[in-house]
């Protein structure tokens, strides 16, 4: 019974290692841990009773060695070994086994002293061994030697922790007896993952090399360092014994004599030595496996059902090769693909991702977050300055002054703003199209993946359907914007209108006046002295004489003149103005008019024409900056137009934000999901295409065979475990 359970774990371990993609069972195994030159390799060789491990200075074990020992029933049976990487070959020469381990180690770990995590699987059949599963790991080191990487210690510790962290593993901590146990690296690591010492068994080596008068009895009795599984002392062959090829049988006899004859160990001789260690390891491993049998059975049952389901997804190869069933298989796969496509859009798929939004949820996110945020980010009066609005108002009035704000200016200004909504609307269509393309490319159906040509054709047909619907949808969305710009409906019930806009402006104006008046009052209360000074200065100015000795009268200050003509007077005041006739140069002084002999050099008409020509020559056709500055009325008109544009733009934006998603759903999404199956059947359900479409992928066929092998192993293991219980 013991051997059957351990052989079961060995078989499962071998199969799981050969197919690394399958879930590990965390099988119980014995992990050998120790520092370099602690004697752990010698312990393993003594257990096997053969020399087969590489030897040398520095780090020798550079890859994990999973050693499976299997007891042969016939006592005279020949010993041999098998490697998993070359199963067809049996090794009867154990020196050749050592060479193969060295070659395989160098193949992956290199010729230097680096390490590799990939294990070597070795199975030894012998009548001299007890059935065991041991894992030999690289020895702990602290200082890199030769070409070893600088972090070699970190790499080895990480590798060891990966194996001993398995809660089902048994830690075989090897420590030399001639060193203080408190400083043992193997026991330190074991305590990190097994602080209570429930699954750690200690092995003391080199007991024969301790100083005279000293012994390790306290450690072996569990008094100085308690472990639930205890300590076992062993005496390995010396270096001289190894060089002289001392037989293993003699070495084991010498070990037994050492413990029987030693005064300190004589009382516990029956619990020391390699034979006792092998029996203990076999018993501990068996007990461990038996404890985990219920858990192992439930896990195997789950794995059997999962593997059976996975195998069913690969399909029956005989079903696709027969001419009678090809049509029904094609139809089944087409229906499955279309149903998965529709389910991804509707959100009813059982294989939805939990890491990111996809399918219908992603489309909803595009409508409400991406598209909505893009529209909200467009200012209603983007790219419209006050000067642009004022120019539009002036241009729309033509040569006539306007009594009211012209409606044509509002129409001219609001249409380009509505056009700004077109770009995010078209981008929304593209994003939904890309998401639908992503849905049809993602398929985890293993039965469909068996036929790569069929899958490629399915994707091509769906992609073509989506491309056909992209153009009509984009055109319709563009037409929605064109419809909004075609007729500006100022009678819309939500539109603010001129009266509402004026009311808003009046309210804002009143608020501004209140704020300004409050500031003025605050300033007057703060500086009363400055007001007195300003009043005194005004009185002084009034009593002061103006140039030419004339006082101010009635608040009027005459402006200085040059050559008797006011420098600010216009052409009309120059011609018609003047308080007396002497100030009218066109007519001349009264004395000159009364003089009959006086003849005017210019007539009135010729003087007006010359003056007009001079004025037009001086004037520029383009308006100056002073002329472009808005008047108070224009400022009010600008604010009024801006308010009206904002009100109408918000109405249109609300309409577009509602209509574009509806249009996309109707023209692109719903049309595609409703016609996908009909399009697939019409394009691919043709008898002349059956043979080409149902050509199976070689990789899928190999995966099916692996899955079938795993299912057989799981079923067999489940039967053994079930019978054991």
């Amino acid at each position: 019974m013991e051997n059957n359970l351990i052989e079961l774990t060995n078989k499962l371990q071998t199969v799981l290692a050969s197919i690394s993609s399958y879930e590990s069972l965390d099988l119980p195994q014995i992990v050998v841990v120790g520092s370099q030159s602690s004697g752990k390799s010698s312990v393993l060789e003594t257990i096997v009773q053969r020399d087969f491990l590489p030897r040398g200075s520095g780090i020798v074990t550079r890859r994990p060695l999973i050693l499976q020992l299997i007891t042969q029933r016939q006592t005279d049976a020949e010993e041999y070994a098998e490697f998993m990487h070359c199963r067809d070959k049996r090794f009867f020469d154990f020196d050749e086994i050592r060479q193969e381990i060295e070659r395989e180690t160098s193949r992956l770990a290199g010729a230097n002293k680096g390490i590799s995590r990939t294990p070597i699987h070795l199975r030894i059949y012998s009548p001299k061994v007890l059935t065991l599963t041991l894992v030999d790991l690289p020895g702990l080191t602290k200082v890199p030697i030769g070409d070893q990487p600088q972090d070699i210690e970190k790499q080895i510790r990480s590798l060891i922790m990966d194996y001993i962290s398995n809660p089902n593993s048994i830690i075989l901590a090897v420590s030399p007896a001639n060193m203080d146990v408190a400083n043992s690296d193997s026991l330190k690591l074991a305590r990190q993952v097994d602080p209570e010492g429930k699954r750690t068994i200690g092995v003391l080596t080199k007991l024969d090399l301790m100083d005279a008068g000293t012994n390790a009895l306290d450690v072996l009795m569990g008094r100085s360092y308690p472990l639930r599984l205890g300590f076992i002392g062993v005496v390995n062959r010396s270096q001289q014994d190894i060089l002289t090829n001392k037989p293993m049988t003699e070495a084991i006899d010498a070990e037994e004599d050492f413990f029987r004859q030693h005064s300190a160990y004589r009382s516990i001789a029956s619990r020391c030595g390699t034979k006792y260690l092998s029996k203990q390891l076999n018993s501990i491993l068996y007990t461990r496996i038996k404890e985990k049998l219920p858990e192992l059975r439930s896990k195997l049952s789950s794995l059997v059902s999962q593997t059976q389901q996975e195998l069913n997804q690969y399909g029956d190869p005989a079903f696709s090769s027969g001419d009678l069933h090809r049509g029904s298989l094609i139809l089944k796969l087409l229906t499955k693909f279309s149903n998965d496509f529709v389910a991804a859009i509707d959100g009813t798929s059982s294989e939805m991702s939990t890491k990111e939004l996809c399918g219908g949820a992603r489309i909803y996110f595009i409508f409400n977050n991406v598209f909505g945020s893009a529209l909200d980010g467009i200012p209603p009066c983007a790219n419209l300055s006050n000067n642009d609005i004022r120019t539009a108002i002036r241009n729309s009035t033509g040569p006539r002054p306007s009594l009211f704000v012209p409606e044509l200016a509002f129409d001219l200004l609001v249409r380009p703003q509505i056009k700004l909504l077109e770009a995010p609307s078209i981008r929304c269509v593209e994003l939904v199209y890309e998401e639908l393309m992503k849905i049809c490319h993602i398929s985890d159906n293993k039965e469909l993946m068996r036929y790569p040509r069929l899958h490629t054709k399915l994707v091509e047909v769906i992609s073509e359907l989506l491309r056909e619907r992209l153009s009509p949808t984009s055109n319709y969305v563009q037409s929605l914007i064109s419809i909004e710009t075609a007729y500006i409906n100022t009678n819309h019930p939500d539109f603010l209108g001129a009266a509402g806009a004026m009311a808003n402006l009046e309210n804002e104006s009143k608020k501004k006046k209140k704020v300004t008046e409050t500031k003025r009052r605050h300033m007057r209360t703060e500086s009363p002295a400055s007001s007195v000074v300003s009043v005194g200065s005004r009185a002084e100015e009034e009593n002061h004489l103006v140039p030419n000795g004339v006082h101010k009268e009635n608040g009027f200050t005459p402006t200085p003149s040059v050559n008797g003509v006011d420098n600010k007077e216009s052409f009309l005041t120059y011609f018609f103005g003047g308080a007396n006739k002497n100030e009218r140069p066109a007519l001349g002084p009264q004395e000159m008019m009364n003089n009959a002999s006086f003849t005017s050099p210019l007539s009135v008409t010729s003087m007006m024409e010359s003056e007009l020509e001079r004025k037009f020559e001086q004037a520029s056709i383009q308006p100056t900056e002073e002329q472009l500055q808005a008047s108070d009325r224009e400022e009010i008109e600008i604010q009024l137009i801006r308010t009206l544009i904002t009100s109408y733009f918000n109405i249109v934006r609300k309409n577009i934000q509602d209509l574009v998603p509806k249009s996309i759903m109707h023209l692109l999404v719903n049309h595609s999901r409703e016609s996908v199956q009909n399009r697939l059947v019409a394009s691919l359900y043709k008898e002349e295409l059956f043979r080409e479409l149902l050509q199976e992928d070689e990789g899928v066929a190999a995966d099916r065979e692996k899955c079938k092998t795993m299912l057989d192993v799981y079923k067999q293991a489940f039967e053994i475990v079930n019978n054991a219980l």
Side-chain angles (χ1 to χ4, degrees):
M1 180 63 186
E2 294 182 11
N3 290 346
N4 288 339
L5 289 179
I6 298 176
E7 286 178 9
L8 166 66
T9 59
N10 290 344
K11 187 173 183 180
L12 287 174
Q13 195 172 47
T14 302
V15 174
L16 290 171
S18 63
I19 308 175
S20 57
S21 61
Y22 287 86
E23 182 182 1
S24 174
L25 283 173
D26 288 336
L27 298 172
Q29 57 189 4
I30 300 171
V31 182
V32 184
V33 182
S35 58
Q36 283 187 20
S37 305
S38 62
K40 61 184 183 64
S41 295
S42 298
V43 171
L44 292 177
E45 287 185 334
T46 308
I47 291 174
V48 179
Q49 299 186 27
R50 296 298 294 260
D51 290 329
F52 68 98
L53 292 175
R55 293 186 176 275
S57 59
I59 181 171
V60 178
T61 304
R62 297 187 290 127
R63 286 179 61 181
L65 176 66
I66 298 180
L67 178 62
Q68 298 175 354
L69 304 179
I70 299 175
T71 306
Q72 287 185 310
R73 303 299 182 187
Q74 298 82 6
T75 56
D76 57 346
E78 188 175 8
E79 298 174 293
Y80 66 93
E82 292 177 347
F83 286 95
M84 197 180 73
H85 60 269
C86 47
R87 295 181 179 178
D88 297 335
K89 183 178 179 181
R90 290 185 176 183
F91 294 82
F92 296 93
D93 186 356
F94 280 76
D95 289 334
E96 191 177 354
I97 295 174
R98 180 188 296 113
Q99 295 172 4
E100 182 62 27
I101 293 175
E102 292 174 349
R103 279 196 300 269
E104 187 64 15
T105 299
S106 299
R107 186 177 67 84
L108 287 185
N112 57 10
K113 296 295 183 178
I115 65 170
S116 172
R117 288 178 170 269
T118 307
I120 299 174
H121 289 260
L122 174 62
R123 180 176 292 179
I124 296 179
Y125 298 84
S126 173
K128 301 178 183 178
V129 299
L130 293 176
T131 302
L132 284 174
T133 301
L134 301 164
V135 182
D136 185 22
L137 297 175
L140 291 162
T141 183
K142 296 183 181 297
V143 181
I145 300 174
D147 296 333
Q148 287 181 347
Q150 294 299 315
D151 62 340
I152 186 67
E153 179 185 4
K154 183 179 179 181
Q155 290 184 25
I156 294 175
R157 286 181 179 271
S158 174
L159 175 62
I160 294 174
M161 291 298 291
D162 287 345
Y163 278 89
I164 65 176
S165 297
N166 175 10
N168 293 336
S169 65
I170 300 163
I171 305 171
L172 185 66
V174 180
S175 305
N178 55 358
M179 184 184 73
D180 191 357
V181 175
N183 298 325
S184 172
D185 292 330
S186 59
L187 291 175
K188 285 182 182 178
L189 283 179
R191 176 160 286 185
Q192 292 181 19
V193 297
D194 182 29
E196 298 180 3
K198 292 182 177 180
R199 56 186 181 91
T200 303
I201 179 171
V203 175
L204 283 184
T205 62
K206 304 182 180 181
L207 290 170
D208 54 332
L209 301 180
M210 296 183 68
D211 295 337
T214 61
N215 59 69
L217 187 61
D218 289 343
V219 177
L220 294 175
M221 296 297 292
R223 291 193 287 263
S224 61
Y225 195 98
L227 290 175
R228 181 75 59 87
L229 301 178
F231 281 88
I232 298 175
V234 296
V235 176
N236 298 322
R237 292 182 299 167
S238 64
Q239 190 64 30
Q240 182 65 30
D241 294 338
I242 295 173
L243 293 176
T244 57
N245 291 326
K246 183 177 182 179
M248 281 291 181
T249 54
E250 295 182 11
I252 292 175
D253 292 339
E255 180 187 40
E256 293 176 351
D257 293 340
F258 172 82
F259 286 111
R260 281 198 302 267
Q261 296 173 7
H262 197 283
S263 58
Y265 307 130
R266 187 181 301 139
S267 59
I268 58 171
S270 60
R271 289 180 282 134
C272 293
T274 305
K275 287 186 177 180
Y276 178 75
L277 175 62
S278 298
K279 291 179 182 179
Q280 280 294 101
L281 293 178
N282 179 268
S283 175
I284 292 171
L285 184 60
Y286 167 73
T287 304
R288 193 74 175 175
I289 294 173
K290 193 172 183 179
E291 288 176 357
K292 298 297 179 181
L293 276 181
E295 178 184 341
L296 191 62
R297 182 175 64 173
S298 62
K299 200 163 190 178
L300 281 169
S301 176
S302 175
L303 285 173
V304 167
S305 61
Q306 291 176 11
T307 311
Q308 182 66 58
Q309 184 178 1
E310 184 178 357
L311 184 61
N312 293 338
Q313 290 182 346
Y314 286 117
D316 188 359
F319 189 77
S320 60
S321 59
D323 294 336
L324 296 176
H325 303 291
R326 283 178 178 169
S328 58
L329 178 59
I330 287 281
L331 192 59
K332 173 187 173 185
L333 294 175
L334 296 182
T335 304
K336 173 65 176 171
F337 186 84
S338 61
N339 290 341
D340 291 345
F341 182 79
V342 173
I345 296 175
D346 295 342
T348 57
S349 175
S350 59
E351 299 178 356
M352 277 291 180
S353 172
T354 57
K355 303 297 182 183
E356 62 177 359
L357 293 177
C358 61
R362 178 68 181 171
I363 294 174
Y364 175 83
F365 179 81
I366 291 170
F367 287 157
N368 291 274
N369 293 75
V370 180
F371 180 56
S373 300
L375 293 186
D376 293 338
I378 301 176
C381 295
N383 305 324
L384 279 182
S385 64
N386 287 348
N387 190 35
D388 296 334
I389 299 176
R390 182 171 63 253
T391 303
I393 294 173
R394 289 182 177 179
N395 287 338
S396 62
T397 58
R400 302 171 305 280
S402 62
L403 296 176
F404 306 101
V405 178
E407 188 173 346
L408 181 60
F410 170 72
D411 288 358
L412 291 174
L413 291 169
V414 78
R415 282 191 172 91
Q417 301 308 111
I418 296 174
K419 275 288 185 181
L420 297 176
L421 301 174
E422 183 175 343
S425 301
I426 296 299
R427 182 58 184 156
C428 181
V429 177
E430 294 172 352
L431 288 175
V432 174
Y433 167 77
E434 292 171 3
E435 182 59 30
L436 293 175
M437 290 290 288
K438 183 179 177 182
I439 293 174
C440 75
H441 278 84
I442 298 175
S443 177
D444 295 332
N445 186 1
K446 282 186 167 47
E447 187 175 7
L448 181 60
M449 297 306 293
R450 289 173 57 194
Y451 312 107
R453 295 188 179 182
L454 175 60
H455 183 260
T456 302
K457 286 290 185 181
L458 288 171
V459 173
E460 288 179 359
V461 172
I462 301 300
S463 301
E464 183 181 358
L465 172 63
L466 294 176
R467 281 194 297 269
E468 290 177 2
R469 300 308 305 167
L470 177 61
S471 181
T473 307
S474 299
N475 292 337
Y476 185 78
V477 170
Q478 286 178 333
S479 70
L480 291 177
I481 307 298
S482 301
I483 289 170
E484 293 290 350
T485 58
Y487 178 65
I488 307 301
N489 182 20
T490 55
N491 289 326
H492 194 282
D494 294 336
F495 184 57
L496 198 57
M502 286 301 298
N504 287 350
L505 291 178
E506 287 179 5
N507 292 334
E508 292 179 3
S509 178
K510 289 179 181 179
K511 291 180 182 178
K512 289 181 180 178
K513 285 182 179 180
K514 287 182 180 179
V515 173
T516 306
E517 191 67 27
T518 305
K519 288 183 179 179
R520 286 180 179 176
R521 289 176 184 173
H522 185 65
M523 291 176 65
R524 287 174 183 172
T525 54
E526 283 185 350
S527 56
S530 61
S531 301
V532 174
V533 172
S534 62
V535 171
S537 60
R538 284 201 200 105
E540 188 176 337
E541 288 177 0
E542 290 175 0
N543 296 326
H544 198 276
L545 291 175
V546 298
N548 298 328
V550 180
H551 287 281
K552 289 185 182 180
E553 295 180 3
N554 299 327
F556 172 74
T557 304
T559 57
S561 59
V562 180
N563 297 326
V565 181
D566 191 347
N567 61 348
K568 290 187 179 179
E569 61 188 351
S570 66
F571 171 73
L572 295 178
T573 58
Y574 173 77
F575 185 77
F576 294 105
N580 51 58
K581 294 182 179 180
N582 291 330
E583 295 176 354
R584 301 179 186 178
L587 299 176
Q590 186 65 30
E591 293 79 4
M592 295 177 65
M593 296 299 293
N594 294 333
N595 193 349
S597 62
F598 173 76
T599 303
S600 176
L602 294 173
S603 66
V604 175
T605 305
S606 61
M607 180 171 282
M608 290 178 62
E609 290 177 355
S610 62
E611 185 65 20
L612 282 169
E613 289 177 2
R614 186 176 65 83
K615 289 292 184 180
F616 275 114
E617 288 176 358
Q618 293 177 357
S620 174
I621 296 178
Q622 296 296 332
T624 62
E625 292 184 2
E626 294 180 357
Q627 292 171 331
L628 285 176
Q629 289 180 355
S631 62
D632 293 341
R633 171 178 172 158
E634 287 178 331
E635 286 291 345
I636 294 175
E637 290 176 347
I638 291 170
Q639 294 303 321
L640 181 61
I641 289 289
R642 195 177 287 275
T643 304
L644 293 174
I645 290 174
T646 301
S647 174
Y648 196 81
F649 182 85
N650 288 336
I651 294 172
V652 176
R653 176 164 55 187
K654 186 177 179 181
N655 293 341
I656 294 300
Q657 193 167 358
D658 179 58
L659 289 175
V660 168
K662 290 180 178 178
S663 305
I664 295 173
M665 286 299 298
H666 174 65
L667 296 173
L668 181 62
V669 179
N670 289 344
H671 188 280
S672 300
R673 66 187 295 279
E674 291 169 3
S675 58
V676 57
Q677 185 166 2
N678 292 337
R679 177 64 68 90
L680 289 174
V681 172
S683 302
L684 300 179
Y685 191 72
K686 298 176 182 179
E687 190 172 355
E688 62 271 16
L689 297 177
F690 289 171
R691 183 179 296 275
E692 177 187 355
L693 295 178
L694 292 180
Q695 287 187 5
E696 193 173 40
D697 182 65
E698 295 180 359
V700 174
D703 291 341
R704 186 200 298 111
E705 289 301 318
K706 288 182 180 179
C707 186
K708 188 176 180 181
T709 303
M710 283 300 301
L711 181 62
D712 294 339
V713 171
Y714 286 148
K715 286 182 177 180
Q716 183 181 357
F718 181 79
E719 288 296 327
I720 296 175
V721 172
N722 197 40
N723 293 335
L725 292 174

